[in-house]
Amino acid sequence: SKSSIPVCGSPRSVSQAAKPQDASGDSSWSDMTVMELKKELMARSLPVSGLKASLIERLENAPATPASAAVGIEDAVPTTPRKRTLRRVVTPEEEATLGIVVTPEEEAKKAKRKPPAATKSPRKRPKIEPGSLPPPEEGWEDIYNLVEELRKDRTAPVDHDGAEQLPEKNKGEKVYRFQVLVALMLSSQTKDAVVGMTMRKLQQAGAGLTVENIHSMDPQTLNKLLHSVGFHNNKTVFIKAAAETLIEKYQGDIPPTADEMMELKGVGPKMAYIVEQIAFGRQTGIGVDVHMHKNFNKLNWVNSKTPEQTRVQLEGWLPREKWSDVNVLWVGFGQEVQQQKGKLLRKIMTCSNPLGAMKLVKRLGFDVKKEAKKIGMEEEVASIMKQN
């Protein structure tokens, strides 16, 4: 008869395990484990589900399996062997033995063929430390100073509906800081004028815009007050959650650092750094919005794809003494370029460097000639442009 095939490392084969004899000489399955019983059932192509008693009953009613038909568990469960293709380079000696003729063209191809390159791990973007980058271009300070001059009047929307102007300073420091945080949370994807209108609604609702009032306010009531701002449903959830966290962890005050603020839902780096600067007079980072991101790329001051990348690169070269004002300065300037063109052009015509200012706003997408025609200043603008 055929030799037995070991099962799962055991010297006993399925056929040897079959029909064990008890003390009286009768066959008994009860002394076998459930696993051994299932192996016997698999060898007979019988179902293997059920309790031990069912398995024994199934085996007792099954015909005996002859030793010649015994199979191991590996044979009982058919498997598809993995095909492995081994590629081997044929040596010149084997080519000669096998009669393979290699043409000069094939020889040249072989010589040019490069070995497969080693798999490279993705390169990590090197960390940029503040002050570690050189300035982007010569003359950037002239541009910066020109923008400061054009923004001296502080008449952009951010100057009267921004997070620094909207909070109620007469309500106490905690309330003021909380309102600064709320104003920044509302500002995402929302114009400053709408944020201002919404903040005033909140300040006049019930007990006012305090962390305790927002915490106790019904979510539907809060959502109705926030209806005008972008993504008001999400902001309702975020502001309610923030109020709860401030009461539980910070005694009703806001977190003292930008890093802790960013742990609040709905608060990103831009908001956190601006809140930190306004509420605590501390500047550990620069708040960069979408408009700053776009304009700094147009000026080639950064080469980035997201506002967060812009922030990191900007911090790499912009002097720290300018960090506290860069957001409100350039956000307001961007608003004037987009929304207050006539007013901006009049300021350009009376500034210390009208031609330089015209070149600057043109780089940001401002059509100087078109706007001059609208406000009747074509001749004045043309005379300045002739100086180029």
Side-chain angles (χ1 to χ4, degrees):
S1 64
K2 293 183 180 180
S3 60
S4 301
I5 301 174
V7 177
C8 297
S10 171
R12 183 173 63 174
S13 70
V14 174
S15 61
Q16 289 171 328
K19 296 281 183 182
Q21 302 293 319
D22 59 15
S24 62
D26 298 328
S27 298
S28 174
W29 301 104
S30 59
D31 295 332
M32 297 178 66
T33 65
V34 171
M35 183 61 69
E36 290 173 331
L37 293 170
K38 287 186 177 183
K39 289 176 184 177
E40 291 292 335
L41 288 165
M42 290 172 69
R44 292 163 171 74
S45 300
L46 295 174
V48 295
S49 61
L51 300 175
K52 185 174 181 179
S54 303
L55 304 182
I56 293 172
E57 183 180 358
R58 209 170 292 148
L59 283 167
E60 287 176 343
N61 295 329
T65 303
S68 59
V71 294
I73 187 69
E74 292 87 353
D75 299 315
V77 183
T79 57
T80 305
R82 245 170 72 182
K83 293 183 180 179
R84 183 176 293 175
T85 304
L86 299 177
R87 301 182 67 181
R88 186 170 64 85
V89 178
V90 180
T91 63
E93 292 78 9
E94 290 174 325
E95 288 177 349
T97 304
L98 296 171
I100 299 173
V101 179
V102 181
T103 65
E105 290 80 7
E106 290 174 331
E107 285 286 2
K109 285 182 181 179
K110 280 185 181 181
K112 291 180 180 179
R113 198 172 295 154
K114 294 181 180 179
T119 305
K120 294 182 180 179
S121 58
R123 284 192 302 175
K124 292 184 178 179
R125 186 185 298 273
K127 186 177 180 181
I128 299 174
E129 296 292 341
S132 63
L133 298 180
E137 61 178 27
E138 188 177 349
W140 74 267
E141 286 184 282
D142 295 332
I143 294 174
Y144 202 99
N145 293 337
L146 189 55
V147 172
E148 287 182 323
E149 180 184 349
L150 293 170
R151 287 278 290 122
K152 271 184 180 179
D153 60 349
R154 288 293 194 261
T155 56
V158 70
D159 297 314
H160 49 80
D161 281 324
E164 191 168 359
Q165 287 72 34
L166 291 170
E168 299 170 298
K169 296 181 180 179
N170 61 333
K171 299 289 185 180
E173 292 184 2
K174 277 190 178 182
V175 173
Y176 174 74
R177 288 193 285 264
F178 177 65
Q179 291 190 11
V180 170
L181 175 63
V182 172
L184 264 299
M185 293 180 76
L186 295 176
S187 68
S188 175
Q189 302 294 315
T190 306
K191 289 185 176 180
D192 284 333
V194 177
V195 173
M197 178 185 67
T198 305
M199 283 289 291
R200 286 182 277 275
K201 283 183 181 179
L202 291 169
Q203 290 164 350
Q204 295 164 13
L209 183 48
T210 66
V211 65
E212 293 80 11
N213 190 33
I214 294 298
H215 182 257
S216 61
M217 188 179 290
D218 180 72
Q220 292 181 346
T221 302
L222 179 59
N223 193 29
K224 189 175 181 180
L225 291 168
L226 304 187
H227 189 266
S228 299
V229 303
F231 302 101
H232 59 90
N233 292 330
N234 289 340
K235 290 175 183 178
T236 297
V237 175
F238 295 154
I239 291 173
K240 286 286 290 182
E244 184 172 353
T245 300
L246 301 189
I247 289 173
E248 290 180 357
K249 293 182 64 176
Y250 300 99
Q251 294 76 50
D253 206 345
I254 68 172
T257 66
D259 288 339
E260 290 177 89
M261 290 180 210
M262 283 184 259
E263 293 177 5
L264 301 173
K265 290 183 180 179
V267 178
K270 181 202 83 170
M271 300 178 194
Y273 291 128
I274 297 174
V275 172
E276 185 181 51
Q277 191 273 322
I278 296 173
F280 299 107
R282 191 170 57 246
Q283 195 77 47
T284 59
I286 298 174
V288 174
D289 76 344
V290 175
H291 303 293
M292 290 171 66
H293 162 65
K294 290 179 179 177
N295 286 338
F296 289 157
N297 272 281
K298 288 176 182 177
L299 294 174
N300 296 320
W301 285 7
V302 296
N303 180 15
S304 59
K305 295 182 179 179
T306 66
E308 179 60 12
Q309 291 178 9
T310 296
R311 177 189 70 80
V312 173
Q313 293 181 29
L314 192 62
E315 289 174 1
W317 63 266
L318 187 69
R320 273 190 177 269
E321 60 265 22
K322 296 187 181 296
W323 285 21
S324 60
D325 295 326
V326 62
N327 179 273
V328 69
L329 181 71
W330 283 88
V331 167
F333 188 61
Q335 289 175 337
E336 291 181 328
V337 169
Q338 293 292 324
Q339 306 168 28
Q340 299 176 333
K341 295 181 172 66
K343 182 196 76 174
L344 178 58
L345 185 54
R346 290 186 181 93
K347 290 198 292 183
I348 287 172
M349 296 302 293
T350 59
C351 76
S352 62
N353 185 3
L355 182 60
M358 286 183 190
K359 288 180 179 179
L360 168 61
V361 296
K362 283 179 72 176
R363 290 175 70 179
L364 302 181
F366 187 108
D367 191 332
V368 175
K369 291 182 179 179
K370 180 179 178 181
E371 196 57 40
K373 186 176 181 180
K374 282 184 181 180
I375 62 175
M377 296 185 69
E378 292 173 278
E379 291 183 9
E380 294 91 331
V381 168
S383 65
I384 295 294
M385 288 184 168
K386 286 179 182 178
Q387 301 172 16
N388 191 3

